[in-house]
Amino acid sequence: ENEGEGEKAGPAAAAGAATKEAETAAVEPPAEPATAAGPCPLMALQLRYFTGKELANLHGFPASFSFAPGTTPKQQRRLVGNSLNVHVVACLLRYLFERD
């Protein structure tokens, strides 16, 4: 019975190990898409995503602002993207209420 269970767990364990390897493998940049004119010109620009701190600065967060430890870059972009600059909102509200 134990040998049969071990054989069943073997492929599942191997699949789990392969998944772990895929998750921890270094992310390679995507291959350049081919166009009729040649390689994509945007790839030559070597563009990158803004960091969470850069996005926070662009949104007017104070220099002392920092994200909670363990916040992933994707979460940081989402958090900043869903935020509103209080000073901009205050100016808009003041403008809207002064018009009456």
Side-chain angles (χ1 to χ4, degrees):
E1 282 184 4
N2 287 346
E3 287 180 353
E5 289 175 13
E7 289 174 15
K8 290 179 186 175
T19 303
K20 277 290 189 199
E21 284 180 23
E23 290 174 0
T24 59
V27 177
E28 294 182 20
E32 292 186 26
T35 63
C40 179
L42 291 177
M43 296 302 285
L45 295 176
Q46 298 180 346
L47 300 177
R48 64 174 180 83
Y49 287 109
F50 285 115
T51 64
K53 185 67 174 169
E54 290 170 335
L55 288 171
N57 291 340
L58 289 169
H59 278 258
F61 283 73
S64 60
F65 174 80
S66 64
F67 291 97
T71 308
T72 66
K74 185 174 184 177
Q75 290 171 327
Q76 292 174 3
R77 288 191 299 273
R78 285 181 175 173
L79 289 168
V80 172
N82 287 331
S83 67
L84 295 172
N85 185 312
V86 175
H87 300 292
V88 173
V89 172
C91 289
L92 288 172
L93 289 173
R94 211 174 294 119
Y95 173 77
L96 290 171
F97 287 115
E98 288 175 357
R99 290 179 56 195
D100 289 339

